[in-house]
PDB file of all heavy atoms in Angstrom:
ATOM      1  N   GLU R 327     -16.459  55.630  -5.251  1.00  0.00           N
ATOM      2  CA  GLU R 327     -17.758  55.878  -5.895  1.00  0.00           C
ATOM      3  C   GLU R 327     -17.549  56.647  -7.207  1.00  0.00           C
ATOM      4  O   GLU R 327     -18.093  56.268  -8.244  1.00  0.00           O
ATOM      5  CB  GLU R 327     -18.638  56.672  -4.929  1.00  0.00           C
ATOM      6  CG  GLU R 327     -20.055  56.849  -5.432  1.00  0.00           C
ATOM      7  CD  GLU R 327     -20.945  57.472  -4.366  1.00  0.00           C
ATOM      8  OE1 GLU R 327     -20.852  57.081  -3.190  1.00  0.00           O
ATOM      9  OE2 GLU R 327     -21.740  58.350  -4.739  1.00  0.00           O
ATOM     10  N   ASP R 328     -16.749  57.728  -7.168  1.00  0.00           N
ATOM     11  CA  ASP R 328     -16.531  58.543  -8.369  1.00  0.00           C
ATOM     12  C   ASP R 328     -15.896  57.731  -9.489  1.00  0.00           C
ATOM     13  O   ASP R 328     -16.194  57.927 -10.658  1.00  0.00           O
ATOM     14  CB  ASP R 328     -15.605  59.731  -8.053  1.00  0.00           C
ATOM     15  CG  ASP R 328     -16.298  60.757  -7.166  1.00  0.00           C
ATOM     16  OD1 ASP R 328     -17.519  60.634  -6.965  1.00  0.00           O
ATOM     17  OD2 ASP R 328     -15.602  61.666  -6.657  1.00  0.00           O
ATOM     18  N   ASN R 329     -15.003  56.814  -9.113  1.00  0.00           N
ATOM     19  CA  ASN R 329     -14.316  56.039 -10.145  1.00  0.00           C
ATOM     20  C   ASN R 329     -15.039  54.738 -10.483  1.00  0.00           C
ATOM     21  O   ASN R 329     -14.522  53.924 -11.264  1.00  0.00           O
ATOM     22  CB  ASN R 329     -12.870  55.766  -9.724  1.00  0.00           C
ATOM     23  CG  ASN R 329     -12.025  57.013  -9.842  1.00  0.00           C
ATOM     24  OD1 ASN R 329     -11.670  57.421 -10.947  1.00  0.00           O
ATOM     25  ND2 ASN R 329     -11.759  57.658  -8.728  1.00  0.00           N
ATOM     26  N   LYS R 330     -16.232  54.564  -9.903  1.00  0.00           N
ATOM     27  CA  LYS R 330     -17.076  53.409 -10.210  1.00  0.00           C
ATOM     28  C   LYS R 330     -16.277  52.094 -10.195  1.00  0.00           C
ATOM     29  O   LYS R 330     -16.281  51.317 -11.160  1.00  0.00           O
ATOM     30  CB  LYS R 330     -17.743  53.602 -11.573  1.00  0.00           C
ATOM     31  CG  LYS R 330     -18.370  54.988 -11.728  1.00  0.00           C
ATOM     32  CD  LYS R 330     -19.832  54.898 -11.933  1.00  0.00           C
ATOM     33  CE  LYS R 330     -20.502  56.233 -11.716  1.00  0.00           C
ATOM     34  NZ  LYS R 330     -21.458  56.661 -12.625  1.00  0.00           N
ATOM     35  N   ILE R 331     -15.560  51.898  -9.097  1.00  0.00           N
ATOM     36  CA  ILE R 331     -14.779  50.657  -8.968  1.00  0.00           C
ATOM     37  C   ILE R 331     -15.766  49.514  -8.736  1.00  0.00           C
ATOM     38  O   ILE R 331     -16.546  49.525  -7.783  1.00  0.00           O
ATOM     39  CB  ILE R 331     -13.800  50.739  -7.774  1.00  0.00           C
ATOM     40  CG1 ILE R 331     -12.920  51.997  -7.852  1.00  0.00           C
ATOM     41  CG2 ILE R 331     -12.971  49.464  -7.671  1.00  0.00           C
ATOM     42  CD1 ILE R 331     -11.934  52.068  -8.969  1.00  0.00           C
ATOM     43  N   ALA R 332     -15.699  48.493  -9.619  1.00  0.00           N
ATOM     44  CA  ALA R 332     -16.690  47.413  -9.553  1.00  0.00           C
ATOM     45  C   ALA R 332     -16.590  46.633  -8.240  1.00  0.00           C
ATOM     46  O   ALA R 332     -17.604  46.362  -7.590  1.00  0.00           O
ATOM     47  CB  ALA R 332     -16.516  46.475 -10.741  1.00  0.00           C
ATOM     48  N   VAL R 333     -15.375  46.252  -7.854  1.00  0.00           N
ATOM     49  CA  VAL R 333     -15.214  45.447  -6.634  1.00  0.00           C
ATOM     50  C   VAL R 333     -14.050  46.016  -5.805  1.00  0.00           C
ATOM     51  O   VAL R 333     -12.893  45.677  -6.046  1.00  0.00           O
ATOM     52  CB  VAL R 333     -14.952  43.959  -6.978  1.00  0.00           C
ATOM     53  CG1 VAL R 333     -14.919  43.125  -5.705  1.00  0.00           C
ATOM     54  CG2 VAL R 333     -16.008  43.408  -7.919  1.00  0.00           C
ATOM     55  N   PRO R 334     -14.354  46.902  -4.852  1.00  0.00           N
ATOM     56  CA  PRO R 334     -13.274  47.447  -4.026  1.00  0.00           C
ATOM     57  C   PRO R 334     -13.075  46.648  -2.735  1.00  0.00           C
ATOM     58  O   PRO R 334     -14.044  46.216  -2.101  1.00  0.00           O
ATOM     59  CB  PRO R 334     -13.799  48.855  -3.676  1.00  0.00           C
ATOM     60  CG  PRO R 334     -15.283  48.780  -3.839  1.00  0.00           C
ATOM     61  CD  PRO R 334     -15.651  47.555  -4.614  1.00  0.00           C
ATOM     62  N   ARG R 335     -11.803  46.412  -2.373  1.00  0.00           N
ATOM     63  CA  ARG R 335     -11.506  45.719  -1.107  1.00  0.00           C
ATOM     64  C   ARG R 335     -10.535  46.580  -0.305  1.00  0.00           C
ATOM     65  O   ARG R 335      -9.695  47.271  -0.876  1.00  0.00           O
ATOM     66  CB  ARG R 335     -10.879  44.348  -1.379  1.00  0.00           C
ATOM     67  CG  ARG R 335     -11.899  43.293  -1.801  1.00  0.00           C
ATOM     68  CD  ARG R 335     -11.223  41.971  -2.116  1.00  0.00           C
ATOM     69  NE  ARG R 335     -10.495  42.074  -3.354  1.00  0.00           N
ATOM     70  CZ  ARG R 335     -10.948  41.651  -4.533  1.00  0.00           C
ATOM     71  NH1 ARG R 335     -12.112  41.042  -4.618  1.00  0.00           N
ATOM     72  NH2 ARG R 335     -10.231  41.811  -5.624  1.00  0.00           N
ATOM     73  N   PHE R 336     -10.672  46.530   1.009  1.00  0.00           N
ATOM     74  CA  PHE R 336      -9.838  47.361   1.882  1.00  0.00           C
ATOM     75  C   PHE R 336      -9.197  46.510   2.975  1.00  0.00           C
ATOM     76  O   PHE R 336      -9.761  45.493   3.386  1.00  0.00           O
ATOM     77  CB  PHE R 336     -10.684  48.451   2.561  1.00  0.00           C
ATOM     78  CG  PHE R 336     -11.478  49.275   1.583  1.00  0.00           C
ATOM     79  CD1 PHE R 336     -12.813  48.988   1.344  1.00  0.00           C
ATOM     80  CD2 PHE R 336     -10.883  50.315   0.885  1.00  0.00           C
ATOM     81  CE1 PHE R 336     -13.542  49.722   0.429  1.00  0.00           C
ATOM     82  CE2 PHE R 336     -11.601  51.063  -0.025  1.00  0.00           C
ATOM     83  CZ  PHE R 336     -12.939  50.771  -0.255  1.00  0.00           C
ATOM     84  N   TYR R 337      -8.072  46.971   3.456  1.00  0.00           N
ATOM     85  CA  TYR R 337      -7.359  46.298   4.548  1.00  0.00           C
ATOM     86  C   TYR R 337      -6.838  47.382   5.481  1.00  0.00           C
ATOM     87  O   TYR R 337      -6.465  48.468   5.020  1.00  0.00           O
ATOM     88  CB  TYR R 337      -6.145  45.518   4.012  1.00  0.00           C
ATOM     89  CG  TYR R 337      -6.477  44.581   2.874  1.00  0.00           C
ATOM     90  CD1 TYR R 337      -6.590  45.058   1.567  1.00  0.00           C
ATOM     91  CD2 TYR R 337      -6.701  43.231   3.101  1.00  0.00           C
ATOM     92  CE1 TYR R 337      -6.911  44.208   0.514  1.00  0.00           C
ATOM     93  CE2 TYR R 337      -7.015  42.370   2.059  1.00  0.00           C
ATOM     94  CZ  TYR R 337      -7.128  42.875   0.760  1.00  0.00           C
ATOM     95  OH  TYR R 337      -7.445  42.029  -0.275  1.00  0.00           O
ATOM     96  N   ILE R 338      -6.769  47.087   6.763  1.00  0.00           N
ATOM     97  CA  ILE R 338      -6.033  47.994   7.635  1.00  0.00           C
ATOM     98  C   ILE R 338      -4.557  47.649   7.453  1.00  0.00           C
ATOM     99  O   ILE R 338      -4.183  46.462   7.498  1.00  0.00           O
ATOM    100  CB  ILE R 338      -6.465  47.826   9.111  1.00  0.00           C
ATOM    101  CG1 ILE R 338      -7.910  48.336   9.271  1.00  0.00           C
ATOM    102  CG2 ILE R 338      -5.509  48.579  10.030  1.00  0.00           C
ATOM    103  CD1 ILE R 338      -8.452  48.274  10.674  1.00  0.00           C
ATOM    104  N   LEU R 339      -3.743  48.663   7.188  1.00  0.00           N
ATOM    105  CA  LEU R 339      -2.316  48.413   6.977  1.00  0.00           C
ATOM    106  C   LEU R 339      -1.761  47.688   8.207  1.00  0.00           C
ATOM    107  O   LEU R 339      -1.802  48.217   9.318  1.00  0.00           O
ATOM    108  CB  LEU R 339      -1.580  49.740   6.742  1.00  0.00           C
ATOM    109  CG  LEU R 339      -0.092  49.635   6.438  1.00  0.00           C
ATOM    110  CD1 LEU R 339       0.183  48.771   5.215  1.00  0.00           C
ATOM    111  CD2 LEU R 339       0.519  51.017   6.240  1.00  0.00           C
ATOM    112  N   THR R 340      -1.280  46.459   7.977  1.00  0.00           N
ATOM    113  CA  THR R 340      -0.883  45.610   9.103  1.00  0.00           C
ATOM    114  C   THR R 340       0.601  45.283   9.029  1.00  0.00           C
ATOM    115  O   THR R 340       1.067  44.783   7.999  1.00  0.00           O
ATOM    116  CB  THR R 340      -1.721  44.307   9.093  1.00  0.00           C
ATOM    117  OG1 THR R 340      -3.101  44.684   9.172  1.00  0.00           O
ATOM    118  CG2 THR R 340      -1.377  43.386  10.239  1.00  0.00           C
ATOM    119  N   PRO R 341       1.340  45.583  10.083  1.00  0.00           N
ATOM    120  CA  PRO R 341       2.758  45.217  10.069  1.00  0.00           C
ATOM    121  C   PRO R 341       2.913  43.707  10.270  1.00  0.00           C
ATOM    122  O   PRO R 341       2.866  43.207  11.394  1.00  0.00           O
ATOM    123  CB  PRO R 341       3.344  46.001  11.253  1.00  0.00           C
ATOM    124  CG  PRO R 341       2.190  46.417  12.093  1.00  0.00           C
ATOM    125  CD  PRO R 341       0.920  46.232  11.343  1.00  0.00           C
ATOM    126  N   ILE R 342       3.052  43.003   9.151  1.00  0.00           N
ATOM    127  CA  ILE R 342       3.202  41.541   9.215  1.00  0.00           C
ATOM    128  C   ILE R 342       4.621  41.226   9.686  1.00  0.00           C
ATOM    129  O   ILE R 342       5.591  41.719   9.093  1.00  0.00           O
ATOM    130  CB  ILE R 342       2.982  40.909   7.812  1.00  0.00           C
ATOM    131  CG1 ILE R 342       1.597  41.243   7.255  1.00  0.00           C
ATOM    132  CG2 ILE R 342       3.249  39.409   7.817  1.00  0.00           C
ATOM    133  CD1 ILE R 342       0.476  40.400   7.752  1.00  0.00           C
ATOM    134  N   PRO R 343       4.773  40.423  10.745  1.00  0.00           N
ATOM    135  CA  PRO R 343       6.121  40.075  11.209  1.00  0.00           C
ATOM    136  C   PRO R 343       6.972  39.568  10.048  1.00  0.00           C
ATOM    137  O   PRO R 343       6.498  38.786   9.229  1.00  0.00           O
ATOM    138  CB  PRO R 343       5.874  38.968  12.233  1.00  0.00           C
ATOM    139  CG  PRO R 343       4.492  39.233  12.728  1.00  0.00           C
ATOM    140  CD  PRO R 343       3.724  39.804  11.555  1.00  0.00           C
ATOM    141  N   GLY R 344       8.211  40.032   9.994  1.00  0.00           N
ATOM    142  CA  GLY R 344       9.103  39.616   8.903  1.00  0.00           C
ATOM    143  C   GLY R 344       9.218  40.674   7.826  1.00  0.00           C
ATOM    144  O   GLY R 344      10.176  40.662   7.060  1.00  0.00           O
ATOM    145  N   THR R 345       8.247  41.594   7.754  1.00  0.00           N
ATOM    146  CA  THR R 345       8.332  42.609   6.710  1.00  0.00           C
ATOM    147  C   THR R 345       9.121  43.814   7.207  1.00  0.00           C
ATOM    148  O   THR R 345       9.290  44.012   8.413  1.00  0.00           O
ATOM    149  CB  THR R 345       6.928  43.095   6.268  1.00  0.00           C
ATOM    150  OG1 THR R 345       6.251  43.638   7.411  1.00  0.00           O
ATOM    151  CG2 THR R 345       6.099  41.974   5.674  1.00  0.00           C
ATOM    152  N   GLN R 346       9.532  44.642   6.255  1.00  0.00           N
ATOM    153  CA  GLN R 346      10.278  45.854   6.603  1.00  0.00           C
ATOM    154  C   GLN R 346       9.392  46.805   7.430  1.00  0.00           C
ATOM    155  O   GLN R 346       9.841  47.447   8.370  1.00  0.00           O
ATOM    156  CB  GLN R 346      10.708  46.539   5.310  1.00  0.00           C
ATOM    157  CG  GLN R 346      11.631  47.699   5.555  1.00  0.00           C
ATOM    158  CD  GLN R 346      12.066  48.316   4.249  1.00  0.00           C
ATOM    159  OE1 GLN R 346      12.333  47.612   3.275  1.00  0.00           O
ATOM    160  NE2 GLN R 346      12.124  49.632   4.218  1.00  0.00           N
TER     161      GLN R 346
END
Side-chain angles (χ1 to χ4, degrees):
E327 186 172 318
D328 290 350
N329 286 286
K330 313 242 165 135
I331 307 293
V333 185
R335 282 178 288 261
F336 307 98
Y337 308 81
I338 292 182
L339 183 58
T340 302
I342 301 279
T345 59
Q346 187 178 320

